Amino acid sequence: MEDPKLPHYDHQPKSYSGPAIETVMDLRKRFLAPSLLTYYKKPMMIVEGSMQYVYDEKGRRYLDAFGGIVTISVGHSHPYVLQKVREQLETLQHTTTIYLHPAIAEYAEMLAAKMPGNLRVCYFVNSGSEANDLALLMARLYTGNFDVIALRNAYHGGSAATMGLTAHSTWKYNYPHSFGIHHAIAPDPYRGYWGRDDPQAGAKYAADVQNLIAYATSGRVAAFFAESIQGVGGAVVYPDGYLKNAFAYVREAGGVCISDEVQTGFGRTGSHYWGFETQGVIPDIVTLAKGIGNGLPLGAVVTTPEIARALTQRIHFNTFGGNPVSCAAGKAVLEVIDREKYQENCRVMGDRIKKGLFKIQSKYEIIGEVRGEGLMLGVELVKDRSTKEPAGTAAAEIFESAKDLGLLIGKGGLGGNVLRIKPPMCMTAADADFMIDVLDAAFRPY
Ligand SMILES: Cc1ncc(COP(=O)(O)O)c(C=O)c1O
């Protein structure tokens, strides 16, 4: 059978004249921290990108269905984002917030306008970990409480504080980091106690938040942290009503509710601009990163004026936060998403891919569940559909074969057994069909 063919794309990659892949590997081994991870048996070197595609050093094109870990939102080197960044770079690169600059002020107004309720004060940082660190600080200062509820199977970052919020042994070092943080049961209808067939599942999982507050804390908490869909944990979509109930318990105990939208924001879920809207809630603090800057280092905390005021007890400073170049990128990303109707594209493409994945699932027993919203999708592989034993080795093989056939995807879940599909929001129907053909071929041995 012939290999699936990538859709035609009119872009000629530059011919690569840099060091050989072996040299880069050697330099990396000698001069970079050994904890850095590479994907694939033979690591790939990516030297160019254009919209939903990337190119290796030999000029081979791949469909990038992982977007630099859900970070390329509107497309690699999107021309409008590039133009705005270039204009800003050529005019003024950096000053910090000790001086006024229009980019940060105008961008804050644009970003706040996308938020519901009273979420209208922005604080810019450089990454998701920084955004979550700051949200944690704000919540503790504002409430005067210390204890925090987060979820098992969550990923909120790798800084000292956010490692505490994260609940995956894979990402937690053996050193003190979780003081005051308590992890509630993951509201995972596939692996958890209550499934998608139980209309009360959301309320039942949320009751664990209430229990945790009653048993593990003084009864007063600072915050509840949750991704709107768990990303690194394997695209886990909570049952309806989960966040609504959990938020109510947390607010009753004096806490604020924090939505980590680092992966789910900016229309990726298709049906809504923000992931938390899929659960019908409005958080008190929202944290953003990754897709917000389409690859530029940018993160943000958006909250209410009352909560933001808590930080005025001292001066909080972040050298690069609100940098004019990152803000120019952020503004351009917001404009592009609206102009190109990328949220709608996420919905349509997500439905198309899911339909294809369900067809594949009907052929291969190894697929336990296909799930997700818009272009935030997961395919969970199990050795046996009744025991749900994670099929991590098979997932790694399929992931490898997909790459050989020209498709880059991600992996997640504690057992590394969930294939993660989170392409740039500009992907097309032809890309979706290619992706399904590749995955169908990659699953064939199973
Ligand atoms: C949901 C979520 N929150 C926070 C982070 C941390 O972001 P960063 O790596 O930019 O610090 C990540 C990173 O993968 C994430 O997926």
Side-chain angles (χ1 to χ4, degrees), residues 69 127-130 132 155-158 227 232 260 262-263 289-290:
I69 316 196
S127 68
S129 300
E130 276 187 27
N132 285 330
Y155 185 88
H156 294 291
E227 296 159 88
V232 172
D260 180 331
V262 167
Q263 293 204 14
K290 289 189 182 275

